[in-house]
Amino acid sequence: MTTDATQTTDATQTTDTAATGTTAQATPTQAGDAGGQALLRLENVHTYYGHIHALKGISLTVGRQEIVTLIGSNGAGKTTTLKTISGLLRARVGSVVFDGDDISTVSAHELVARGIGHAPEGRRIFSRLTVLENLQMGGFTRNSSEIREDLGRVMELFPRLKERQHQKGGTLSGGEQQMLAIGRALMSRPRVLLLDEPSLGLAPILVQQIFSIIAEINQQGTTILLVEQNALQALKVANRGYVLQTGNIILADTAANLAANEQVRQAYLGEI
Ligand code: ATP
C-alpha cells in the first residue's frame, strides 16, 4: 500500500535524560488535561496510513511525572497515537509538542536522544542477541559509563533480566521479553516512556508484576503514556486517561472518574 506516513523498521525506541534516580512529584492536573505544564502535547493530530484516516484530530496532554493511559477497543488508534509521537509515523495535520518544541517532523532516532522512549506492542526484541546486548542497544544514544550505570538500574528493576543476561532474547518467556522491551526502552533514560500493551498475553501474576514495575518507573521520575487493553489495571495505575474510539477521543478525565464512568465500565471494563 502507498503511504505518506514515514515508518522506520525497528519500532523499539529509547531516549536520553531525566528519568533516573530522583523521586518526582506529580504535577497537579485538571480532570481532563495536564494544564499549561504539559511535557507532551498533541494538538489536532490527524494520522493516515495511505488513504486510511486513523487519527481524526486528536488532542491530548501528558504532564510531567504523570501516568496517562489511552484506552479503547481494537483499531481505535492507540498504537497509531504512540507511533505518531515517537516519529514512526507522521501527523499529516496537527502538531506534537514535546517540552515546548514542535517535534512533528523530527526523526525517530533524534527523538530517542531528546527523551522519547517507546516500548512497542509485540516486544520487538532482538531475539538472536543476548539480554545484555539488547539492553546495550537501547543505550545507543549514551556513552559507555552512562550505559554501565543504566544497566545496573535496569537489572535492579528487573532481577530476572540480570539472571538471564547472557541468554539469547528469543529464548526468554513472554513476560521476560516484555521486561526486556521495557528495560531496553529505559536504557536511553527517557523523559517520557511510551508503553504499548505491556501486559498483552501475560499470565495474571506477571500482569500484576508489570504494572507494579510501571508504577515504580514512574516514581523514579519517568513520565508514562500507557496504551492498554487491560483498562481496569491501566486506570488503577494512571493519573488520567483518554478513551479513543475510531480515531477520536471521546472521553478525557481522571483515572478514578473514568473507572467509575458507566459508559467506560460497560464498554471497556467488561461490565454488563
Ligand atoms: P490494536 O490494539 O488492535 O492495535 P489500536 O487502538 O492500537 O488497536 P491502531 O493499531 O492504532 O489501533 O489502528 C488504528 C486504525 O489504523 C485501524 O483502523 C487499523 O486498521 C488501521 N491501521 C493500523 N495499522 C495500519 C497499517 N499498517 N496499514 C493500514 N491501516 C492500519
Side-chain angles (χ1 to χ4, degrees):
M1 174 189 297
T2 323
T3 172
D4 62 353
T6 306
Q7 284 190 274
T8 61
T9 44
D10 181 12
T12 305
Q13 302 295 329
T14 25
T15 12
D16 100 84
T17 37
T20 188
T22 54
T23 303
Q25 196 68 43
T27 306
T29 59
Q30 301 161 18
D33 190 270
Q37 295 300 310
L39 178 61
L40 182 67
R41 182 181 293 278
L42 270 61
E43 289 166 0
N44 187 33
V45 165
H46 291 254
T47 303
Y48 291 74
Y49 296 92
H51 64 276
I52 296 169
H53 196 176
L55 298 183
K56 299 169 182 161
I58 68 163
S59 297
L60 62 83
T61 55
V62 182
R64 292 167 207 280
Q65 267 78 57
E66 273 196 306
I67 300 182
V68 172
T69 186
L70 294 181
I71 59 178
S73 320
N74 284 336
K78 305 180 297 298
T79 295
T80 305
T81 303
L82 296 193
K83 286 182 171 176
T84 304
I85 296 167
S86 68
L88 300 175
L89 293 169
R90 294 271 172 241
R92 192 182 288 182
V93 176
S95 54
V96 182
V97 178
F98 178 61
D99 205 13
D101 295 328
D102 189 331
I103 57 161
S104 313
T105 57
V106 176
S107 72
H109 179 271
E110 167 66 17
L111 289 175
V112 175
R114 289 206 195 184
I116 296 184
H118 189 175
E121 188 179 6
R123 296 148 202 166
R124 306 268 177 94
I125 57 142
F126 302 107
S127 55
R128 292 188 187 176
L129 300 185
T130 65
V131 168
L132 192 57
E133 288 163 343
N134 266 278
L135 292 174
Q136 285 163 339
M137 294 285 279
F140 75 92
T141 57
R142 311 192 65 76
N143 67 37
S144 49
S145 73
E146 288 172 329
I147 289 178
R148 263 197 309 280
E149 189 186 317
D150 290 347
L151 272 175
R153 176 173 164 254
V154 169
M155 302 276 191
E156 203 173 298
L157 205 52
F158 298 103
R160 185 63 72 91
L161 295 184
K162 187 175 186 178
E163 285 166 25
R164 305 224 185 296
Q165 59 182 294
H166 300 299
Q167 204 168 307
K168 293 260 193 304
T171 67
L172 300 179
S173 71
E176 290 162 353
Q177 289 190 14
Q178 188 58 62
M179 290 173 192
L180 182 55
I182 298 173
R184 188 177 55 180
L186 286 173
M187 283 296 296
S188 58
R189 295 203 196 178
R191 298 175 65 195
V192 62
L193 177 61
L194 312 176
L195 288 175
D196 199 348
E197 302 277 8
S199 77
L200 192 69
L202 300 186
I205 187 157
L206 283 176
V207 171
Q208 292 301 331
Q209 211 178 326
I210 286 285
F211 277 99
S212 44
I213 289 169
I214 291 169
E216 196 174 335
I217 292 167
N218 177 249
Q219 277 154 20
Q220 290 179 3
T222 307
T223 302
I224 293 176
L225 180 57
L226 170 67
V227 158
E228 262 294 340
Q229 297 262 347
N230 191 336
L232 187 61
Q233 289 292 341
L235 291 172
K236 278 186 189 160
V237 80
N239 302 101
R240 291 187 302 113
Y242 293 87
V243 179
L244 266 171
Q245 189 178 290
T246 55
N248 295 292
I249 288 174
I250 57 162
L251 275 174
D253 212 330
T254 62
N257 284 349
L258 288 176
N261 179 297
E262 205 54 40
Q263 188 187 350
V264 172
R265 296 184 78 84
Q266 285 182 15
Y268 306 106
L269 304 183
E271 294 191 0
I272 298 167

